[in-house]
């Protein structure tokens, strides 16, 4: 619960070291950060009663900073420090093993701020010659930089989606574009994206003009490669976009090929071969013919589906093409003699199945919109209900609700529901909470209060570094609490930022399924937590999942789509997703729990 305050204090300590300020002061913030982080009691109470200085290492001045933080979400000294340090230098902090003190020394002595300058200075011996550094340090920094560059090559799916849309909208302006689609990992809705792949078809005489249009687009800062069928560019935001242009008759085979994954394609090609066919990016060919796309005619293919059907598979949705579960789920031959027709057993959940929004924050805690504003946005998007789940009292940093505030919020929800009823709207707002799971696995509100909520999400927000077995016990306790309906963002991971907790989900998921406690697929593109790779155990145990936007404002509702992608990757049918239930069925499900 105290993590955000601790983080702000830690940032102050770090920035002070970066700017070479008095060691003593930065160490004081360092210590305060650590003590706040490990503090087990009720911080909000201490803050209210102005007793913060009873915590070790918190003097009057830092207590005042914390108070500022809880009121305004920031601290003046932090803001001042942030202004002093250039964003380029801040990047150096991401280099593993390079601490703020060393950064300050290098920056100060060599007067450099950019990453490429640091690299050069490591290579030409300037870093090595600084007092207390030496050759080994310089080599280590170089290694770390290359590690960091490897890892920042990927980006979150929302970032990639936005970029892809910009390019597709631009390319669609050409009247010569027949079909256009994203391909690669983005089409597969992978949780992080390497480069963005776009495929389009056009008659070959227009290809080079379209390529010109592509590389001249104002989002492009660098042309990595340019040809008539393939070009790659770097965007102003630093991402790589690959465009491939094929002839219209090759589009479906090419889309299949460039969607991947590579592993999925390998299996498809093997299946083709064992049926005396050859599958490549141009089409599906009888094996006896020479494979030369200009001269031989492929089997007639009107869609990706046609290719799958030829290979005795049901159409495999792009999200599942990872060679993970899909070939078991979409096999079309049941036994050697009988060929199944029609749909596979597994119909994947899709956006039109979702009836309501669960897990959103309002201005009551750390959200940016009111209950009414969120409700109106949900109504506009066609939902039947939403469940407000603001933070609980221990989450002081996120404006967690005191017991009195919970009662006040319920009143407000009743009022808005009454108004909805009056105007004849069927839309309803459920009373929920995202309550912290405390270190011992208990929930953050007393039972009498928990009982009164329509829906309880229980989430870990602090102490996520616990050893795996302790974390499993902690989460099991929350799962088996009779008031818990849903476990929120089960691992707490932040993609490309921080690993989640170490809980063994292969154990927790069956346990939750036994207790009829649902687990969240948090759709926030930072999280996508549960991970789709647990689809097998989710399906086999019958765990109820729930796709939640964890929205902190109206635009956060748009995250839903990434959660749907994750659920589809996991191979989940609508029946295994709680918010596909109508309001009535959801209420029955929630009530049978308690
Ligand atoms: P990424 O970009 O790392 O997130 O992942 P992908 O899957 O988008 O990979 P990418 O961009 O290298 O290639 C896009 C698709 O093109 C890939 O999923 C399958 C296909 N592809 C590319 N190179 C090869 C290859 O060498 N062999 C095969 N079988 N397929 C390839
Ligand atoms: Ca890619
Ligand atoms: Ca690519
Ligand atoms: Zn949360």
């Amino acid at each position: 619960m105290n993590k955000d305050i601790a983080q702000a204090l830690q940032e102050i300590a770090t920035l002070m070291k970066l700017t070479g300020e008095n060691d003593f002061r930065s160490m004081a913030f360092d210590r305060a950060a650590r003590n706040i982080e490990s503090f087990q009691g009720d911080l909000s109470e201490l803050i209210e009663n102005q007793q913060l200085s009873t915590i070790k290492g918190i003097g009057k001045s830092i207590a005042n900073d914390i108070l500022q933080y809880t009121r305004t979400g920031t601290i003046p000294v932090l803001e001042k420090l942030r202004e002093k340090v250039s964003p380029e230098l801040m990047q150096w902090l991401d280099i593993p093993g390079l601490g703020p003190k060393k950064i300050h020394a290098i920056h100060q002595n060599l007067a450099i701020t950019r990453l490429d300058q640091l690299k050069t200075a490591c290579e030409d011996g300037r870093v090595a010659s600084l007092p207390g550094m030496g050759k080994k340090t310089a080599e280590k920094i170089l290694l770390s930089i290359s590690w960091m560059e490897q890892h920042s090559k990927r980006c979150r799916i929302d970032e990639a989606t936005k970029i892809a849309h910009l390019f597709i909208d631009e390319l669609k302006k050409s009247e010569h574009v027949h079909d256009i689609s994203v391909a690669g990992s983005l089409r597969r809705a992978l949780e992080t994206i390497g480069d963005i792949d776009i495929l389009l078809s056009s008659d070959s005489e227009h290809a080079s003009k379209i390529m010109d249009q592509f590389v001249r687009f104002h989002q492009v800062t660098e042309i990595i490669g340019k040809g008539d069928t393939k070009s790659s560019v770097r965007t102003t935001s630093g991402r790589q976009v690959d465009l491939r242009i094929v002839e219209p008759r090759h589009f479906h085979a090419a889309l299949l090929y460039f969607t991947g994954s590579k592993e999925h394609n390998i299996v498809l090609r093997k299946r083709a071969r064992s049926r005396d066919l050859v599958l490549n990016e141009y089409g599906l060919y009888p094996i006896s013919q020479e494979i030369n796309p200009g001269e031989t005619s492929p089997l007639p293919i009107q869609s990706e589906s046609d290719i799958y059907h030829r290979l005795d598979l049901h159409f495999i949705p792009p999200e599942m093409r990872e060679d993970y579960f899909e070939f078991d789920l979409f096999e079309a031959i049941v036994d050697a003699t009988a060929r199944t027709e029609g749909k596979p057993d597994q119909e994947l959940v899709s956006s039109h199945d979702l009836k309501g929004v669960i897990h959103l924050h309002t201005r009551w805690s750390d959200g940016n919109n009111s209950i009414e504003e969120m409700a109106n946005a949900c109504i506009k998007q066609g939902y039947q209900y939403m469940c407000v789940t603001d933070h609980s009292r221990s989450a002081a940093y996120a404006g967690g609700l005191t017991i009195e505030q919970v009662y006040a919020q319920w009143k407000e929800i009743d009022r808005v529901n009454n108004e909805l009823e009056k105007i004849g709207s069927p839309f309803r707002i459920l009373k929920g909470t995202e309550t912290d799971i405390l270190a011992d696995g208990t929930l953050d509100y007393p039972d009498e209060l928990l009982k009164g909520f329509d829906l309880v999400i229980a989430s870990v927000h602090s102490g996520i570094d616990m050893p795996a077995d302790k974390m499993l016990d902690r989460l099991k306790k929350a799962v088996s609490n009779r008031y818990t309906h849903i476990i929120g963002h089960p691992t707490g991971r932040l993609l490309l930022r921080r690993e989640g907790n170490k809980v063994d989900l292969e154990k927790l998921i069956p346990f939750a399924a036994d207790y009829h406690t649902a687990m969240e697929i948090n759709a926030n593109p930072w999280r996508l937590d549960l991970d789709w790779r647990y689809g097998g155990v989710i399906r086999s145990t019958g765990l109820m999942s729930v796709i939640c936007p964890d929205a902190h404002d109206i635009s956060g509702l748009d995250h839903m789509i990434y959660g749907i992608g994750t659920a589809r990757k996991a191979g989940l049918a609508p029946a295994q997703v709680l918010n596909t239930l109508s309001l009535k069925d959801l209420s029955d499900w929630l009530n049978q729990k308690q």
Side-chain angles (χ1 to χ4, degrees), residues 351-370:
S351 55
H352 60 76
D353 294 314
L354 299 187
K355 307 277 178 5
V357 178
I358 296 170
H359 196 168
L360 57 89
H361 300 269
T362 71
R363 232 177 261 141
W364 283 81
S365 66
D366 60 348
N368 295 318
N369 287 105
S370 68

Side-chain angles (χ1 to χ4, degrees), residues 183-186 193-197 242:
S185 50
L186 184 53
I193 308 297
D195 60 23
I196 296 155
D197 299 285
D242 291 352

Side-chain angles (χ1 to χ4, degrees), residues 359 361 391 397 434 436 459-461 488-489 520 522 527 550 552:
H359 196 168
H361 300 269
H391 286 284
Y397 61 89
E434 183 186 16
D436 270 40
S459 307
V460 168
H461 289 115
H489 44 71
E520 176 178 61
N522 191 297
R527 297 183 181 276
D550 195 355
H552 285 73

